[in-house]
Every structure is written in C-alpha cells, then in structure tokens.
Amino acid sequence: MGMHRDAHIVWDWNGTLFHDVDAVIGATNAAFAELGLEPLTLERYRELYCVPVPKFYERLMGRLPTEAEWELMDATFHRYYTEHRVRCALAEGAAELLAGWSSAGRSQSILSMYGHEDLVPLVRGFGIESHFLRVDGRTGPSGGGKAEHMVRHLGALPGVDPARTVVIGDAADDALAARHVGARAVLYTGGSHSRASLDVVGVPVVDTLAEAVEEAERLAV
C-alpha cells in the first residue's frame, strides 16, 4: 500500500469518529414525541434519514414541518442529545487509526454539522485534537447540508489539495460535499444510513473505519 504523504482525510464526526447512534435515535424519538409521532427503530431511521433534516421529517410526517414544529423538534433533539452523548465513545479503533495516519506524515481534519462550540471541547476531551490540522463544527442554523461548509473548511487549510483529499463520513451528504469541492469520499455503515442507501451514492462503502482508511490511501493517489 502506497504512502501518500500529502494525502488528506476530512473526517465526519457524528456517526463516524464518534459512535453516537444510540443518542441520535433517542433524541430523534424525543423530538417526534413532541408531535405525537411514533418512535423509530434504528433500521427505519437508517432507511429514511436524509439532509436537509426537515426533508427527513417530511418523509415521516407526509409534509414538511411548520417553522414552529421545526423549532420545537430541533430544540428537543439537541437537549436530549446533549444529555445522552456523555455515554457515547469513539468508534472502534478510531484513536489508533488517527494516530497511524498522523505518524505516517499525512494530514487530517474534522468537519461536522454538530455545533462548533460543542464539538471542539468534545474532540479535545477524547485527547485526539492534536491529530487534526483543523476542527470545524457548524456555525449558523442546524439542519442543512455540508457542501458550502466543505468549501470554507478546505479553503482554510493551506497546502491541502482537494484532489488528494478523501472525505470519510456516514451519510450521502458527505459524498455530495466531497464532490462539490473535487474531493473523493468513502462512506461508513456505522452511522446514520443503511448500506442500501449508501450503495446508490456511487462511492466506496465500508463497514469499518479501518477499511475506510485503506480506501482513502487507495483513492488519494
């Protein structure tokens, strides 16, 4: 396997490096309960989840939520998630993979749609912050896609070539954001999407982060 010293990985956080799917499902169901909606199983969530998030709610409700409904559900989701994320941990092998990529002289960063002010101390608390050139969370309203955030993220990383960059995430939106900036993508089945919904995106799909890093090495030629 080749050693591409100038290859760069942009990691997603929630559902990728951070194994928080149980907290996400619980928070989603808490939000749904506010409108009297039935709770979702993990399988059903992964089958239907998409961004922007109001579109996901439309799939379940048969209509887009009103502005008041969205604000209520969004606030409930984040309140529940914040309370329960403390029980979540890094994905299996994540710390070792991050250390290995860095020790090979290659760079990496995090771009997440989780709020920036919450993301940075969470990453720091796991003792992995030093592995990243940059850690960027969402600024502004929640619920949208990652593409324009990816433009700003890579623009803030001098010397990082989008053509030698691989985005590793758990959602179709990660691949769309990668395509938007001319990067490659690998999608991981351990988070928000089912394998079936990821397979149609047209990028490599893997079941472990170790496989994701192997694919990143192959793609970043």
Side-chain angles (χ1 to χ4, degrees):
M1 189 175 297
M3 300 289 281
H4 309 296
R5 297 187 65 83
D6 54 345
H8 183 81
I9 290 176
V10 177
W11 291 96
D12 176 55
W13 179 249
N14 303 95
T16 304
L17 287 176
F18 189 45
H19 186 66
D20 62 349
V21 67
D22 290 338
V24 168
I25 296 298
T28 300
N29 285 332
F32 287 173
E34 294 284 356
L35 299 188
L37 298 174
E38 291 295 316
L40 288 176
T41 63
L42 173 59
E43 291 72 24
R44 184 70 171 154
Y45 177 92
R46 284 175 165 165
E47 177 186 341
L48 295 175
Y49 180 75
C50 64
V51 294
V53 175
K55 185 71 175 178
F56 169 50
Y57 290 163
E58 182 183 24
R59 291 181 172 185
L60 294 155
M61 300 170 64
R63 61 174 175 81
L64 284 169
T66 66
E67 184 175 347
E69 288 172 336
W70 163 253
E71 290 177 357
L72 174 63
M73 296 172 79
D74 191 50
T76 301
F77 178 96
H78 285 100
R79 183 171 61 250
Y80 181 102
Y81 179 83
T82 299
E83 292 172 0
H84 289 80
R85 74 182 186 192
V86 295
R87 302 190 185 113
C88 302
L90 293 178
E92 182 178 357
E96 293 79 9
L97 291 167
L98 295 172
W101 188 263
S102 293
S103 67
R106 291 166 284 189
S107 62
Q108 53 199 326
S109 59
I110 291 176
L111 175 62
S112 172
M113 293 297 92
Y114 191 43
H116 185 76
E117 298 303 318
D118 293 312
L119 174 66
V120 171
L122 190 54
V123 172
R124 187 172 296 143
F126 282 110
I128 57 175
E129 186 181 22
S130 63
H131 294 308
F132 304 110
L133 294 181
R134 189 175 181 90
V135 175
D136 281 336
R138 172 187 49 79
T139 57
S142 62
K146 188 175 275 189
E148 293 306 319
H149 295 272
M150 186 68 74
V151 172
R152 292 190 291 272
H153 181 72
L154 288 185
L157 295 172
V160 171
D161 180 2
R164 301 290 302 281
T165 296
V166 179
V167 177
I168 297 178
D170 68 314
D173 189 54
D174 291 299
L176 295 176
R179 191 174 302 150
H180 187 68
V181 296
R184 311 294 289 275
V186 179
L187 297 179
Y188 164 61
T189 62
S192 60
H193 281 32
S194 67
R195 173 174 276 278
S197 63
L198 295 178
D199 280 337
V200 301
V201 178
V203 303
V205 178
V206 299
D207 295 320
T208 68
L209 293 187
E211 293 174 285
V213 171
E214 289 176 3
E215 282 293 323
E217 289 190 309
R218 182 181 68 80
L219 292 171
V221 175

